[in-house]
Amino acid sequence: MYPSASSSHFAAATMAAAAALLLLLPALSATDDWADAHATFYGDETGAETMQGACGYGNLFDQGYGLDTTALSVALFNQGWSCGGCYAVRCQGSAYCAPGGAPATVTATNLCPANYSKPSGNWCNPPLRHFDLSKPVFLRLVTDFHVGIVPVQYRRVPCARRGGVRFEMRGNRWWVAVLVFNVAGAGDVKAVAARGSRDGRWADMSRNWGQIWTNGDGREVGQGLSFRVVAGDGRAVELDSVVPQGWAFGQSFEGKGQF
Ligand SMILES: *[C@@H]1O[C@H](CO)[C@@H](O)[C@H](O)[C@H]1NC(C)=O
């Protein structure tokens, strides 16, 4: 009798506690949406090693991202869908955290790959959440970069960009690819459609890798192009007559619109 009375008493108390927690949870998630991760850095102060990368961007200075960038672990990278997204990252819980704990805001421009052959494991293997920051950003978060790795907290934040959404023409005459960059707001892109000046109708592009989108053929050659871009948060913008008919590979063009 006694054990069962005791356990039902315990169950009632547990349920009351659970109910109280459920009431608290919405308030907690609304005010404290920081999640835990770790951070390291790659490359040196010049950031040369952070250029190009698995999102398909090129010279990050020319493209407006500069050195406030990060590579994401496999889990956060989400096969490239996270490219262009912005994160506030703050050092938390290490004696090496810079005083004040001000967060850095970075754009995802690269992948921190998994490596299963390291005996001690790898910070970027799934399911770990990890930021491999540019060295200049890491230097702002810590008092001594020799610490190598620190615990951090992070959250998605809106991206601030100058000017309109931009498009760079890549590929060749049989397979045209378009890099979509300088996306404000959510920063990441989940759908792109293009309309050729000659075709006159919208065609959905598919994401090839990073932020590089294609129709899978060369239909864009010799046509002016308009674009419809859907950001990761579902917001869409239409950018008319972005690319002139006489475009050339390697050129980039700015749309007259932004998120
Ligand atoms: C993975 O880690 C091992 C052991 O540290 C190293 O020798 C190897 O080069 C790494 N592989 C890659 C692709 O970085």
Side-chain angles (χ1 to χ4, degrees):
M1 287 300 285
Y2 180 70
S4 96
S6 163
S7 67
S8 78
H9 191 182
F10 175 75
T14 306
M15 281 170 67
L21 251 183
L22 278 177
L23 287 174
L24 274 172
L25 273 176
L28 278 177
S29 56
T31 54
D32 187 10
D33 53 356
W34 295 87
D36 294 324
H38 284 84
T40 47
F41 66 94
Y42 71 116
D44 59 17
E45 282 86 343
T46 69
E49 284 182 52
T50 65
M51 302 293 124
Q52 315 297 331
C55 289
Y57 303 126
N59 183 316
L60 298 173
F61 294 109
D62 294 347
Q63 294 175 338
Y65 300 111
L67 294 177
D68 291 341
T69 61
T70 188
L72 297 178
S73 62
V74 172
L76 291 175
F77 190 68
N78 190 21
Q79 298 181 309
W81 290 104
S82 300
C83 287
C86 294
Y87 299 81
V89 180
R90 67 184 184 197
C91 186
Q92 185 84 11
S94 163
Y96 289 89
C97 291
T105 299
V106 291
T107 300
T109 58
N110 205 355
L111 166 70
C112 178
N115 185 339
Y116 298 98
S117 57
K118 282 190 180 166
S120 56
N122 180 319
W123 285 102
C124 291
N125 288 1
L128 298 180
R129 292 177 295 191
H130 189 84
F131 293 82
D132 204 7
L133 302 162
S134 72
K135 190 171 180 183
V137 171
F138 193 75
L139 288 171
R140 296 208 297 270
L141 295 184
V142 299
T143 52
D144 181 356
F145 74 87
H146 292 101
V147 62
I149 181 165
V150 286
V152 295
Q153 293 187 316
Y154 74 97
R155 63 180 174 190
R156 283 290 297 272
V157 293
C159 301
R161 305 279 180 236
R162 217 173 282 170
V165 178
R166 291 167 65 189
F167 303 84
E168 184 176 303
M169 306 305 293
R170 299 205 186 157
N172 57 59
R173 56 181 290 202
W174 299 280
W175 191 84
V176 174
V178 180
L179 171 72
V180 182
F181 65 104
N182 200 50
V183 177
D188 53 342
V189 173
K190 69 175 182 188
V192 178
R195 185 181 62 202
S197 53
R198 195 174 57 233
D199 295 345
R201 57 182 175 77
W202 290 103
D204 288 336
M205 303 181 97
S206 60
R207 196 176 65 91
N208 193 246
W209 60 281
Q211 276 301 354
I212 293 176
W213 296 75
T214 182
N215 270 312
D217 53 32
R219 74 184 70 172
E220 295 89 352
V221 173
Q223 296 203 65
L225 300 169
S226 300
F227 293 101
R228 197 150 58 197
V229 178
V230 183
D233 62 1
R235 292 183 59 207
V237 295
E238 190 175 310
L239 304 146
D240 290 321
S241 305
V242 178
V243 177
Q245 196 181 324
W247 65 266
F249 290 104
Q251 290 183 328
S252 67
F253 302 94
E254 183 175 343
K256 291 180 193 68
Q258 184 55 278
F259 288 90

